[in-house]
Every structure is written in C-alpha cells, then in structure tokens.
Amino acid sequence: MARWEPNARERLVRAAIDLFAEQGYDATTVNGIAERTGLTKTTFFRHFPDKREVLFAGQELHSRILGEAVAAAPGTATPLQAVAAALDALAATFTDGQRDFATRLLAVIAANDELRERAAFKHAQLAAAMAGALRERGTPDPAAGLAAELGVRAFDDAFARWSDPSGERTLTDLAREALEELRTALAALG
C-alpha cells in the first residue's frame, strides 16, 4: 500500500485490530502496524501517542458529540431524556459496516488487562462529558453524574449487543432499549 493513499489514520486502526487479533496485543509492535499499512512509524506517531490509543481513536469526538447533544436537547428534557438524545447522536455515527470491526475490537479489549483499564478510563471521560453538559443545563449533582453514568452503561450494553455479527438492529435502537432497561431497573430499586 502506498504511503500517499488517503485515510492513514483509519488504515492504521484497521491494521492494528487485525494484528492484535492475529498475534495478540503484546506481540504487536508499532512498527508492525505501520508496516502492515505501508506507512512509517513516524506517521503512526503523528496520529497516535502509542499502540494502545489506536484502539480508542475518536474518543475526543465521541465526548464532543455527547456533550453537544446534551446541550442541544430541548429545555424541557429531563436529564435522562437529554442523555437519550446524546446516545442517539453518538449511535448515529456508527454504520453497519463497522459491526465486524466492533466485534473484533471488543474481543481484543477483553483479552488484555491494560486495554480493559483504558476502556474504563474512556467510559469515565464520556460520562464526564455528559455530566458536565447536564450541569450546564442546571442539573445538580448527583443527578447529573448518575444520568451520565447510566447513559454510558446503556451505550456499552447496546454496543456489545450491536457488535454481534448476526444482529440486525441499529445501534440507536439498541441504545434506546438499554437506557430504558436501566431506567426501569433504577425505578424498581425504590
């Protein structure tokens, strides 16, 4: 693959996932990822600080989407309705063509302690983005934090279901369903 081809970042992400799945995360090097794409190690580091971060590409964008969607929710929206609007906005960015990638991504993360730790950190940042936007809307703590945590939990649950290669439902529908399941479970607590 020539170095001048477009989408270097996407190519690096796909190569990394392929190599992590083939030979394991620990055995995969930045050089190996770059070589798989026909790019240099320097190009890799222009896009990512390390090989771990290649799996979490787009986190800043996801945080921004969630925060902006919470902020844009109607003024009459409850905190969970604003979170639901944010999940809709984020889920809309995922296409069915990414489903196979999601399946492989979850498997690679599940197989490595360091990656599970990084995923937990990512989830905390996503929740913080929504909680901050909810606070800006006037939602006090702990309600802002709880609504945001429920939103991230719902999205994670929905993403895991959506990544099933035999699945046909949209991530948006699954996220709405997961948030409603969590809302119902919370209400049942008392």
Side-chain angles (χ1 to χ4, degrees):
M1 209 172 281
R3 292 177 200 217
W4 56 267
E5 288 185 28
N7 303 322
R9 185 176 176 92
E10 181 180 325
R11 289 170 35 217
L12 288 164
V13 169
R14 294 210 176 268
I17 268 293
D18 289 345
L19 288 169
F20 294 157
E22 290 168 18
Q23 59 193 29
Y25 174 78
D26 292 329
T28 300
T29 65
V30 168
N31 280 337
I33 296 168
E35 287 173 11
R36 175 72 65 104
T37 61
L39 299 168
T40 65
K41 185 168 96 171
T42 302
T43 301
F44 179 94
F45 285 119
R46 269 191 243 132
H47 293 280
F48 307 102
D50 59 44
K51 72 176 184 178
R52 179 182 59 172
E53 292 305 310
V54 75
L55 295 178
F56 300 97
Q59 177 176 337
E60 298 82 18
L61 174 62
H62 293 167
S63 291
R64 190 173 72 244
I65 289 168
L66 291 170
E68 289 174 357
V70 166
T76 57
T78 67
L80 279 180
Q81 288 169 336
V83 165
L87 296 185
D88 283 352
L90 182 57
T93 67
F94 289 83
T95 65
D96 279 337
Q98 293 170 299
R99 195 181 299 252
D100 177 59
F101 178 80
T103 303
R104 294 183 303 142
L105 174 67
L106 291 176
V108 167
I109 291 171
N112 185 279
D113 290 339
E114 180 182 349
L115 296 177
R116 286 194 307 274
E117 180 181 316
R118 179 62 182 92
F121 179 71
K122 174 187 174 182
H123 300 162
Q125 288 184 318
L126 296 175
M130 285 193 288
L134 286 167
R135 285 186 207 97
E136 291 280 325
R137 292 173 56 89
T139 304
D141 274 323
L146 181 58
E149 289 291 337
L150 286 174
V152 172
R153 169 82 184 265
F155 190 81
D156 287 347
D157 291 351
F159 190 79
R161 292 178 201 169
W162 178 75
S163 71
D164 179 348
S166 66
E168 295 183 9
R169 296 184 59 204
T170 66
L171 182 53
T172 301
D173 288 343
L174 291 168
R176 288 176 184 167
E177 181 179 281
L179 187 60
E180 181 58 26
E181 288 169 357
L182 289 172
R183 189 199 62 74
T184 302
L186 188 60
L189 291 175

